[in-house]
Amino acid sequence: MSASMTPVRAPVKREYAEYYILLSLISFAVSVTLTRLFLELTGYPQLGNSELHIAHVLWGGLLLFVASLVPLIFANRWAYSLGAFLSGVGVGLFIDEVGKFITQSNDYFYPPAAPIIYAFFLLTVLLYLRVRKPEGHVPRSDLYHVLEDLTEVLDHDLEPPEHARLEGQLNEIIRESEDSNLKQLATALLDFLNNKSLQLADSPPEFFERVAAKLSKWRSKLMEHRRALKAILILGLFWVGALATIKAGTLLAVALVPGLTLEAWITDLIDAGSVESASEILWLLVRLALEGVVGAFALLSAIFLLAGKERRGVATALVCLLLSLTTVNLLIFYLDQFNAVARTVMHFGLLVIARAYRRWHL
């Protein structure tokens, strides 16, 4: 009789987990943005009658439920992609109506609702970045991934590159594992893969694989055009710095221009509908001050890049863009609702470019 062993319950990160989280993130962002855009363009229609109102939060809840059932019912790998997509759309439709559920008056346009949605999105981004970090090779985890990849044999979809990768993983498991069970299983699987009668797929790349190949080619081309990438980064930072500095200059104008008082400026804002309460005026002042800081950092980073101090310039750019995305944008969403989407996309794009430039060239 074989000796008993203690069960191991340590969690194992699923292979391609970062891809599933990213897919959910993208579908979440697109869902919220398109829902708000559709409602704005159509005058906020309602599905129902004088008694019933079928809010889109219900459709969101339904999609979340379906997303949870799909990977429970189906064992195919595509079930995880479908579940990730449906969960992103579902949570987008669900959280879009958060204003109704945190106010006594069911106020869909409650100002803090947009920052709550944006903060929830940022937290999910942090989760994605955490999951995306590469982990060290652990034989048990690697064997989990090998067993998952072997489902390609059942689907007649195991291609030569995948076959070679599996062989390399199994050889590494055999070399590094101290668990005799893992070694025996890895050896048996390697013998199966080395069997000459094993038939491999010779199918053309699928849609997502073709897209990934094209993205890889574009990435390689971008890496070769260092000057163009640097120029885009400098122009973007100057644009961000100029806009933020101009807005923050309003505070200096109020303080320095004769005849322009704070009371008169606030009255003009209320008359124009830019603010509706005293608390919004306070947050507007805080926002303008922070935008001034972001603008100064953006201009400084652009100057550093122009002067050839690239490491300092990129580091400063990352600081100002992260401050903008994580702090300033919360206030902008609070005051301007979803008019800040374009700004967020631009700043996030610049952040991606800055990180790529540092990784490729510095």
Side-chain angles (χ1 to χ4, degrees), residues 155-171:
D155 296 334
H156 298 171
D157 197 27
L158 184 65
E159 300 173 359
E162 296 170 330
H163 179 270
R165 179 168 56 83
L166 287 174
E167 282 187 326
Q169 287 178 306
L170 288 171
N171 280 315

Side-chain angles (χ1 to χ4, degrees), residues 307-356:
K309 299 179 180 179
E310 295 185 341
R311 290 185 181 275
R312 189 174 298 178
V314 170
T316 307
L318 291 174
V319 169
C320 79
L321 292 170
L322 286 172
L323 175 64
S324 176
L325 288 169
T326 58
T327 304
V328 181
N329 280 8
L330 286 173
L331 296 174
I332 295 177
F333 273 106
Y334 175 79
L335 295 166
D336 295 340
Q337 290 288 313
F338 284 83
N339 293 329
V341 171
R343 169 196 168 95
T344 302
V345 171
M346 179 182 179
H347 287 201
F348 182 75
L350 285 174
L351 180 66
V352 171
I353 293 174
R355 285 175 56 87

Side-chain angles (χ1 to χ4, degrees), residues 241-303:
L243 288 181
T245 304
I246 290 172
K247 289 181 180 180
T250 307
L251 291 178
L252 290 176
V254 171
L256 301 177
V257 176
L260 184 59
T261 63
L262 182 61
E263 291 80 4
W265 178 60
I266 292 174
T267 302
D268 292 339
L269 289 175
I270 294 175
D271 293 340
S274 300
V275 294
E276 297 179 358
S277 64
S279 62
E280 289 191 11
I281 293 171
L282 173 62
W283 288 119
L284 177 63
L285 294 174
V286 174
R287 165 194 161 180
L288 291 175
L290 287 175
E291 280 194 277
V293 174
V294 168
F297 272 108
L299 291 175
L300 184 62
S301 61
I303 293 171

Side-chain angles (χ1 to χ4, degrees), residues 70-111:
V70 168
L72 295 179
I73 296 174
F74 301 105
N76 309 74
R77 180 174 288 180
W78 54 257
Y80 298 113
S81 298
L82 179 59
F85 171 75
L86 292 177
S87 68
V89 177
V91 76
L93 293 174
F94 174 82
I95 204 170
D96 181 62
E97 297 210 88
V98 67
K100 289 185 176 181
F101 303 105
I102 59 175
T103 57
Q104 293 285 356
S105 58
N106 293 333
D107 185 4
Y108 178 74
F109 301 100
Y110 185 54

Side-chain angles (χ1 to χ4, degrees), residues 32-104:
V32 173
T33 303
L34 291 184
T35 299
R36 289 274 170 157
L37 180 62
F38 171 78
L39 293 176
E40 181 69 25
L41 294 176
T42 57
Y44 295 90
Q46 293 187 357
L47 180 62
N49 52 33
S50 58
E51 182 178 358
L52 298 176
H53 170 48
I54 310 300
H56 53 268
V57 66
L58 299 177
W59 301 111
L62 177 62
L63 288 178
L64 286 172
F65 182 59
V66 173
S68 67
L69 289 179
V70 168
L72 295 179
I73 296 174
F74 301 105
N76 309 74
R77 180 174 288 180
W78 54 257
Y80 298 113
S81 298
L82 179 59
F85 171 75
L86 292 177
S87 68
V89 177
V91 76
L93 293 174
F94 174 82
I95 204 170
D96 181 62
E97 297 210 88
V98 67
K100 289 185 176 181
F101 303 105
I102 59 175
T103 57
Q104 293 285 356

